[in-house]
Amino acid sequence: MTRKTKVTHSTQKKKKISDKAYMKPLTQTGTGLHLDSWPYNLWEKLNMDYTYSPLDRFRPFQSMLCLSDGHEHPHKEEGGLELIPGFPSISNEYFKATDIKFRDGQTMREKNPWVSPYHVKFTLEEDKPLLGLIRKVKRVPIDWTLSKENLEPQISVNSKDDAVNQKLEYLTEIVKEHDQIPYIPIQKGDFIFFDIRSPHQNSNANKLTHPRCVFYHAYSMAHDINRNTIEALKEKRRNFEHPEDFSSSFRMEQQLMDTKNSKELIPLTTLGECLYNEKDYEKTIFIQQEEQISSEEKDENNDQVLSNSSSTNLFEKMYKEHSHILSKRHLDFFHRYGYVVVENIISEQVCNQLLKELGEYSEKANCPLPVNTIINKSGKYEKMNISKGEFRNISNPFGAMIEFYYLPTQQQLRMDEALYVCTVKLLSNTWCSNLNISKELQQLDSISDQSIPHWKYQCPIESQLDPRKLWLYVDRMNFRIPDK
């Protein structure tokens, strides 16, 4: 048996690790149940002294591309996304109620630990009843329909204890309803959206025979709130610099990739230029163009095809081509449970290409990830000899996150028209549902206003938004090997 040699790659700037610690087998854990928002107030930024400052970001959804298949058993842990169905309906009021019950209404819950202004971990004693309501995400059955209206929970409060208990009872009923829906596991190429008010986690174990892998990809709104972020991301992209939200101790892309190589720094499409705020939507994607439409009519000599013209723009073309992917079935499921899995939105070929790139560049960084066990789908467990030290070359220990942001296919997927259109459509039926442009899109998709629970998506800046105008949020990947 060949003994591994300690190799600390130049792409990391981290504390030295002993030989003994370096050679230890890698063990990974889940993220623990948490929120990536401050549920008391979505529209201001929380300071460490629990006062507020102006909001400096608004990302309407969290979302990810699945690069590996889930398991057919609903309770088998696979290192993947789990959440509490239906929680966004009661998020704000639930936390206020817990303050009354457990803190006499005098203070808000304390962040422990403080991770960021937009993060809450469920580590308190009062959180324990929520842990039994966590479920794996699943696909929406083709024949599923919403059997109950998305009515606002009417909770009467007769004592300090009632509000918390009644909200837990409401959640319990929603979760029971969710459990009755046939379980269909996620598949490679699926795209998952979930509400920023959804408590979620990566499960504590991966009991599959293959690793679990996803690419986190989401959008922010084109609004002054996000301007500083997108301007920074615009510059960082050109140099393969990691976003400020994440660790600055990794330099994989800067060391291993060439910004002058168009196969590594992918040129932006017209949509990409708008998503990075390089160009204005109004001056590019929304410009009306004359489109020639062929007609079967012929002139009197019967030898010339006539044509007429129609005015359209690039957005309308994209929306017409891709909006069917996110159906009313998906929208209703999202409204009810706070998440939705959109099936087969990205091809297996593209997913495998991203996995191959991850394998190639992780090997260059001296931590070769076993991506072929996902690509080949052998169904057989293969021992994966990754040491703790090797994994430190590409990742912090937290939650199996992988610090790659600019692999070529990651860059291309951020400009994918189908992912963009599905996000626009979801926005126009949630946080932006009252806008005139959203109503036009709803009408185009035959979505009735009555089917949208507007009360769930009260947005004080809605009038300043346009669901078609998005900017990018640059994120990383996750790679969870099977437990030994």
Side-chain angles (χ1 to χ4, degrees):
M1 180 176 178
T2 304
R3 186 179 184 276
K4 290 186 179 181
T5 303
K6 174 181 173 180
V7 179
T8 301
H9 200 271
S10 60
T11 57
Q12 66 170 348
K13 295 180 179 179
K14 304 184 75 66
K15 294 180 180 179
K16 291 184 178 180
I17 182 172
S18 69
D19 289 347
K20 184 177 180 180
Y22 187 95
M23 299 308 298
K24 281 186 176 180
L26 173 65
T27 56
Q28 295 174 300
T29 60
T31 58
L33 189 67
H34 65 282
L35 271 175
D36 289 321
S37 63
W38 181 238
Y40 293 91
N41 184 353
L42 297 178
W43 311 109
E44 290 183 289
K45 178 182 178 180
L46 183 71
N47 301 316
M48 293 190 74
D49 62 359
Y50 288 80
T51 60
Y52 289 105
S53 298
L55 193 68
D56 65 357
R57 68 186 60 193
F58 176 46
R59 180 176 48 159
F61 313 112
Q62 291 175 270
S63 45
M64 64 185 73
L65 173 63
C66 302
L67 297 173
S68 57
D69 295 341
H71 193 274
E72 61 186 9
H73 195 286
H75 303 301
K76 192 178 186 73
E77 290 181 297
E78 53 195 48
L81 178 64
E82 302 174 341
L83 48 69
I84 301 178
F87 193 88
S89 300
I90 64 163
S91 178
N92 181 267
E93 294 304 317
Y94 176 80
F95 285 95
K96 292 178 180 178
T98 58
D99 289 341
I100 293 173
K101 180 174 181 178
F102 299 106
R103 287 169 286 280
D104 293 325
Q106 300 301 308
T107 60
M108 294 181 286
R109 68 184 283 142
E110 183 178 350
K111 286 173 174 277
N112 185 23
W114 177 285
V115 177
S116 83
Y118 307 104
H119 188 277
V120 178
K121 288 187 75 70
F122 290 83
T123 55
L124 304 181
E125 185 71 21
E126 68 201 56
D127 299 327
K128 287 186 176 180
L130 295 173
L131 303 183
L133 301 175
I134 301 170
R135 296 293 185 271
K136 285 168 61 173
V137 296
K138 56 188 174 184
R139 284 180 164 191
V140 188
I142 295 296
D143 58 353
W144 180 85
T145 56
L146 185 63
S147 59
K148 296 181 180 180
E149 294 182 49
N150 280 286
L151 297 176
E152 186 170 3
Q154 299 298 316
I155 300 176
S156 59
V157 181
N158 300 317
S159 71
K160 289 184 178 180
D161 293 346
D162 278 351
V164 174
N165 292 340
Q166 289 178 25
K167 286 173 173 59
L168 287 171
E169 289 172 4
Y170 170 83
L171 271 182
T172 300
E173 291 303 311
I174 294 292
V175 172
K176 285 181 179 178
E177 178 185 299
H178 179 269
D179 288 345
Q180 292 173 359
I181 301 171
Y183 180 79
I184 305 174
I186 60 169
Q187 299 291 311
K188 183 190 296 183
D190 291 354
F191 198 72
I192 305 173
F193 291 98
F194 62 101
D195 195 295
I196 57 174
R197 300 164 294 180
S198 293
H200 61 283
Q201 65 181 25
N202 288 345
S203 62
N204 293 325
N206 179 4
K207 298 180 179 179
L208 305 184
T209 58
H210 62 265
R212 177 260 187 178
C213 190
V214 299
F215 167 40
Y216 298 107
H217 167 48
Y219 303 88
S220 64
M221 300 303 304
H223 186 279
D224 282 343
I225 287 172
N226 296 314
R227 189 170 299 280
N228 289 341
T229 299
I230 193 61
E231 291 304 311
L233 291 175
K234 181 193 305 185
E235 295 304 316
K236 289 179 182 298
R237 168 188 165 271
R238 297 184 180 123
N239 300 303
F240 295 143
E241 294 180 26
H242 290 184
E244 294 175 0
D245 285 358
F246 306 105
S247 175
S248 60
S249 62
F250 297 91
R251 297 286 187 273
M252 277 92 71
E253 291 100 332
Q254 289 179 307
Q255 295 288 334
L256 304 175
M257 296 169 64
D258 182 4
T259 57
K260 296 180 181 179
N261 184 344
S262 62
K263 292 183 178 180
E264 294 188 322
L265 180 60
I266 305 300
L268 297 179
T269 62
T270 301
L271 175 60
E273 290 173 328
C274 292
L275 290 170
Y276 272 106
N277 199 31
E278 298 270 3
K279 291 188 177 179
D280 192 327
Y281 280 89
E282 299 289 350
K283 297 178 181 179
T284 52
I285 288 178
F286 297 166
I287 287 182
Q288 296 298 119
Q289 298 176 340
E290 293 296 315
E291 182 181 49
Q292 296 298 313
I293 302 176
S294 297
S295 170
E296 294 301 321
E297 299 179 34
K298 295 183 179 181
D299 67 3
E300 57 186 8
N301 296 321
N302 203 38
D303 61 5
Q304 182 178 351
V305 177
L306 303 177
S307 66
N308 52 39
S309 63
S310 174
S311 181
T312 187
N313 61 41
L314 181 56
F315 173 79
E316 291 169 350
K317 288 180 179 179
M318 289 190 294
Y319 199 83
K320 183 178 180 181
E321 181 177 355
H322 301 294
S323 67
H324 69 279
I325 297 172
L326 188 75
S327 67
K328 186 176 183 302
R329 168 175 58 96
H330 294 115
L331 291 171
D332 286 343
F333 197 93
F334 184 90
H335 292 322
R336 188 67 173 172
Y337 303 113
Y339 81 93
V340 69
V341 177
V342 187
E343 312 90 342
N344 303 318
I345 195 168
I346 299 297
S347 71
E348 184 173 22
Q349 180 181 5
V350 171
C351 292
N352 285 344
Q353 178 59 33
L354 179 51
L355 288 167
K356 289 175 183 177
E357 291 168 4
L358 179 60
E360 174 188 351
Y361 285 98
S362 64
E363 184 172 6
K364 289 180 179 179
N366 291 313
C367 181
L369 295 176
V371 296
N372 286 333
T373 58
I374 303 175
I375 295 172
N376 298 334
K377 293 185 177 181
S378 66
K380 296 180 180 179
Y381 175 78
E382 298 177 26
K383 189 173 182 180
M384 300 171 194
N385 294 312
I386 302 175
S387 75
K388 179 179 178 180
E390 286 173 322
F391 199 65
R392 280 171 58 98
N393 288 325
I394 62 171
S395 175
N396 283 316
F398 173 74
M401 301 301 175
I402 303 293
E403 303 294 327
F404 281 107
Y405 298 82
Y406 299 105
L407 298 178
T409 301
Q410 281 179 296
Q411 297 177 60
Q412 291 169 334
L413 284 166
R414 291 190 180 109
M415 301 182 286
D416 185 85
E417 293 181 0
L419 297 178
Y420 163 76
V421 167
C422 285
T423 305
V424 169
K425 186 169 180 178
L426 188 56
L427 261 174
S428 66
N429 287 274
T430 52
W431 297 107
C432 296
S433 60
N434 296 301
L435 299 176
N436 288 335
I437 182 60
S438 296
K439 293 187 180 299
E440 291 177 17
L441 296 176
Q442 293 162 18
Q443 185 175 10
L444 191 65
D445 294 317
S446 301
I447 304 294
S448 69
D449 186 70
Q450 290 74 23
S451 69
I452 302 173
H454 297 284
W455 60 268
K456 289 190 178 185
Y457 311 105
Q458 299 299 311
C459 178
I461 61 170
E462 182 178 15
S463 63
Q464 304 166 32
L465 303 178
D466 184 331
R468 304 168 300 171
K469 294 182 179 180
L470 303 177
W471 287 335
L472 281 170
Y473 181 81
V474 174
D475 213 328
R476 52 194 169 173
M477 300 177 70
N478 183 282
F479 196 90
R480 180 72 182 274
I481 65 172
D483 291 7
K484 291 180 174 55

